[in-house]
Amino acid sequence: MFSIDKIRADFPILNREVHGKKLVYLDNGATSQTPKVVIDTIVDYYSNYNANIHRGVHTLSQEATDKYEEARIKIQKHFNAKHSYEIILTSGTTHGVNIVASGFASILQEGDEIIVSALEHHSNIVPWQMLCEKTGAILKVIPMDEDGSLRMDLYHELLNPKTKLVFCNHVSNALGTINPIKEIIHAAHKFGAYVLIDGAQAVPHIKPDVQALDADFYVASAHKMCGPTGVGMLYGKEELLQLLPPYQGGGEMIETVTFEKTTYAGLPHKFEAGTPNICGGIAFGVAVDYMNSVGFSNIEKQENELLSYATQELEKIDGLKIYGTTNKTSVISFNLEGIHPYDVGAILDKLGVAVRTGHHCAQPIMDFYCIPGTVRASFSFYNTKEEVDILVNAVKKAQMMLS
Ligand SMILES: Cc1ncc(COP(=O)(O)O)c(CN[C@@H](CS)C(=O)O)c1O
């Protein structure tokens, strides 16, 4: 049974006040908040079994190694990967994208084509531009539409035998748009292209099944789904991870090292050079357990109710425009006519409401709408309708003060 009071009691930070006002945290698209069970895991690790992993013969190292590899298996099962070694623990989504992009630097040829969507976050644009500069590959873009959806008709036209890679986010961080990634993947595979899906904004809301999607790569960050910052995952099909060269050289990613030659470790350690974020990985596994204990159907129901209520109430405000009205997760990007989003965000902060303003690391989307940025309210399952009312009243107050 989903009890919002019980859920909110899991998050100590929700009792915070800012500027003498009750905190209303609506910036979950930037990072989600952290439940006590995850916080306690971090304290427990550093209090009771902090040790380096995969190397020590002593008890603490074995305990830490066991917990870290248990977390990998939890993440594997959560995303329904076939093998645990197809889950590379990274420092986050950006790191995962860069592992794949740099891996293809030794594979792509001049004139090969890479397709990205107009809805991408900078971390799923810039690495591919860098890859094109290195290899002479050509970047193509799936255009977006006024409602924040992708022009799938034009996507199908872009695909051709030269298309080698396609990158798309599962959910847009700036607008909340849920992209038709199964169709995107299926169409790309018809031309033999590989697909990386950026799941950073999907994992707080849904439980992706990478085998059902037939995704070649899928990346995400723990801090978007109640986990700590500095840790995330890259899923890759075994045969593709075998294809890619290591991303970084160092300890852990080797079998044998001589000055004449080094042989590399197998999966997943080939891509996990150096001492990883051990505590973060263990806490990521606990965050996966926590999200599943809340239940993704409960999460979806709560967040959809908040989205429709907030949309209905915000739309009553004259001069307010919402960007992204297609099938989406609980994100509302909006502007007040004649008022810069930054100024709205600053007033909302004074009233205790935390939102994000600006281009949200998705400048091409803002260019499409010819705006400097938006005010983005992003809701999570632990937000409430009362918090929506506080947001709406704060927006009205900001409009009055700034008009
Ligand atoms: C779709 C998408 N793709 C990649 C990233 C980067 O995640 P990292 O954990 O920083 O590596 C993000 C993070 N978006 C935050 C910070 S810019 C936002 O406020 O929207 C994202 O939303």
Side-chain angles (χ1 to χ4, degrees), residues 247-262:
Y247 175 59
Q248 288 177 317
E252 186 70 16
M253 53 75 73
I254 51 91
E255 280 298 336
T256 56
V257 177
T258 66
F259 285 113
E260 290 66 41
K261 179 161 175 48
T262 290

Side-chain angles (χ1 to χ4, degrees), residues 27 29-31 91-95 97 119-124 169 171-174 198-201 220-224 231 356 360-361 376:
D27 194 20
T31 195
S91 62
T93 301
T94 304
H95 182 196
V97 172
L119 293 173
E120 294 315 299
H121 181 280
H122 295 161
S123 69
N124 210 20
N169 54 40
V171 170
S172 159
N173 67 311
D198 169 353
Q201 294 292 341
S221 304
H223 71 92
K224 305 283 189 188
V231 63
R356 182 170 177 179
H360 316 298
C361 303
R376 182 190 71 182

Side-chain angles (χ1 to χ4, degrees), residues 16 28 40 45 51 53 154 179 252 290 357:
R16 263 293 308 257
N28 295 287
D40 293 347
Y45 170 79
I53 57 174
L154 299 180
N179 290 314
E252 186 70 16
Y290 178 77
T357 65

Side-chain angles (χ1 to χ4, degrees), residues 74-235:
K74 283 180 184 175
I75 297 161
Q76 172 215 347
K77 295 196 177 332
H78 183 76
F79 290 94
N80 193 33
K82 206 185 293 178
H83 308 290
S84 62
Y85 53 75
E86 292 178 314
I87 300 294
I88 310 299
L89 284 163
T90 63
S91 62
T93 301
T94 304
H95 182 196
V97 172
N98 279 277
I99 289 175
V100 176
S102 79
F104 276 97
S106 55
I107 296 169
L108 286 193
Q109 309 285 327
E110 184 158 357
D112 286 345
E113 294 183 4
I114 293 177
I115 296 178
V116 294
S117 95
L119 293 173
E120 294 315 299
H121 181 280
H122 295 161
S123 69
N124 210 20
I125 298 174
V126 178
W128 308 119
Q129 289 173 318
M130 292 160 76
L131 178 60
C132 289
E133 282 158 24
K134 268 187 222 157
T135 60
I138 300 152
L139 194 68
K140 302 277 181 85
V141 181
I142 311 171
M144 62 183 283
D145 224 335
E146 194 59 31
D147 68 354
S149 62
L150 290 176
R151 288 290 308 274
M152 290 301 287
D153 55 330
L154 299 180
Y155 167 60
H156 290 286
E157 287 176 19
L158 280 173
L159 286 169
N160 70 78
K162 287 187 197 163
T163 310
K164 301 298 178 212
L165 298 168
V166 176
F167 306 106
C168 187
N169 54 40
H170 198 157
V171 170
S172 159
N173 67 311
L175 306 177
T177 305
I178 301 172
N179 290 314
I181 57 168
K182 216 164 158 46
E183 178 186 345
I184 288 170
I185 292 166
H186 183 68
H189 285 174
K190 282 189 181 156
F191 287 90
Y194 298 127
V195 183
L196 177 143
I197 299 296
D198 169 353
Q201 294 292 341
V203 297
H205 310 291
I206 54 178
K207 190 171 174 176
D209 180 330
V210 292
Q211 290 187 75
L213 290 170
D214 197 19
D216 298 300
F217 300 99
Y218 197 99
V219 291
S221 304
H223 71 92
K224 305 283 189 188
M225 56 180 294
C226 296
T229 53
V231 63
M233 56 72 84
L234 156 64
Y235 159 78

